[in-house]
Amino acid sequence: MTANYLETPQGRRIAYHKTDGVGPVIVFLGGLKSDMEGTKAIHLEAWAQAQGRAFLRFDYSGHGESSETFEDGCIGDWHEDTLAAIAALTEGPIVPVGSSMGGWQALLLARAVPERIAGMVTIAAAPDFTEDGYWASFTDAQKAELDAQGYVELPSDYMEPYRISQRMIEDGRTRLVLRSPLALPFPVRCLQGTADTAVSTETALRLLDHAECEDMRLTLVKDADHRFSDEACLGLIEAALEEVLGAS
């Protein structure tokens, strides 16, 4: 399928695929440097289509088929992309499904447009990772390198090394969600693998403890890794979505 494109108010060109159907609209929010062609996004799209449910997947700027470069982007840019996609491409209630960085994006949505959200599913959510993951682990030498050249290069268990810019770190500090009240007035289901080397179980528990939510559950899956995309994990995502859609 050929992607459609949306131009955001900031002038970025966002690639997307949209499935019409009954609501709430399921909106898949991918992770850092992932794209809308990933296993989870494609699987959930097919699942939604089989049920006649509305579904949206898209690439943030600097990701996949969208415009811009990853190195120039930051959490705030991708939040703007998400808001633009939701405003232009969906109507009525939505259910964000946020994977890794997409989990942070889902939580930012909860602050920006809580009235639109009927429920939420997160998969290895990584809120505040620019501060608690990157900055907290940088050596003095890396911090000096960041200051001197504007970026540092980091290895990854899941992709080629990538550049983290000073802009990403500084912008991330303005988007933190675990340092002030976080109201989630809708059902939330969080999924986390215990073998995840990118996002820790501690992060999942911290989010569970911090959020203000009357219907929030965390499922820990022994030996599941950050991809969370084998057959059993995909089934758990489906089950979490069904719970949230039923509760909403």
Side-chain angles (χ1 to χ4, degrees), residues 9-234:
Q10 297 77 26
R12 298 189 286 268
R13 194 164 181 256
I14 301 303
Y16 71 90
H17 289 281
K18 179 185 175 184
T19 298
D20 293 327
V22 299
V25 185
I26 301 165
V27 181
F28 186 81
L29 303 174
L32 192 74
K33 291 205 80 177
S34 66
D35 60 47
M36 63 175 171
E37 300 300 325
T39 302
K40 292 186 290 292
I42 297 298
H43 178 89
L44 290 177
E45 180 182 64
W47 179 84
Q49 289 172 344
Q51 296 203 352
R53 291 192 172 276
F55 186 88
L56 174 66
R57 58 184 168 100
F58 66 94
D59 287 330
Y60 311 112
S61 53
H63 292 69
E65 299 177 63
S66 292
S67 71
E68 318 308 320
T69 63
F70 170 78
E71 289 77 13
D72 290 336
C74 64
I75 302 300
D77 290 348
W78 304 324
H79 177 50
E80 290 172 349
D81 296 342
T82 302
L83 288 173
I86 285 169
L89 303 173
T90 71
E91 295 181 358
I94 62 172
V95 172
V97 179
S99 175
S100 193
M101 190 270 285
W104 189 357
Q105 292 294 338
L107 297 171
L108 289 171
L109 272 184
R111 284 191 167 169
V113 289
E115 71 283 356
R116 293 287 311 274
I117 301 179
M120 180 183 295
V121 175
T122 68
I123 308 157
D128 300 6
F129 73 85
T130 53
E131 192 71 12
D132 298 332
Y134 292 158
W135 183 255
S137 67
F138 283 171
T139 64
D140 289 342
Q142 285 175 311
K143 290 178 180 179
E145 184 180 5
L146 189 71
D147 188 54
Q149 68 180 13
Y151 67 87
V152 293
E153 289 196 340
L154 297 180
S156 170
D157 289 344
Y158 299 97
M159 61 191 82
E160 73 279 1
Y162 53 97
R163 290 182 176 182
I164 300 303
S165 68
Q166 189 166 31
R167 179 171 182 254
M168 184 186 288
I169 297 296
E170 292 177 350
D171 173 84
R173 289 193 179 120
T174 71
R175 313 282 174 180
L176 303 176
V177 295
L178 297 179
R179 276 117 169 126
S180 55
L182 178 63
L184 305 177
F186 39 74
V188 179
R189 298 295 180 266
C190 304
L191 303 169
Q192 175 72 40
T194 64
D196 191 330
T197 59
V199 177
S200 68
T201 300
E202 179 185 8
T203 300
L205 291 168
R206 184 180 176 195
L207 173 59
L208 183 72
D209 182 61
H210 178 73
E212 300 170 11
C213 183
E214 293 184 358
D215 184 8
M216 185 175 189
R217 300 175 194 170
L218 167 63
T219 299
L220 297 178
V221 183
K222 184 174 175 62
D223 295 333
D225 66 15
H226 191 62
R227 292 185 180 89
F228 211 86
S229 58
D230 64 19
E231 186 175 348
C233 288
L234 293 173

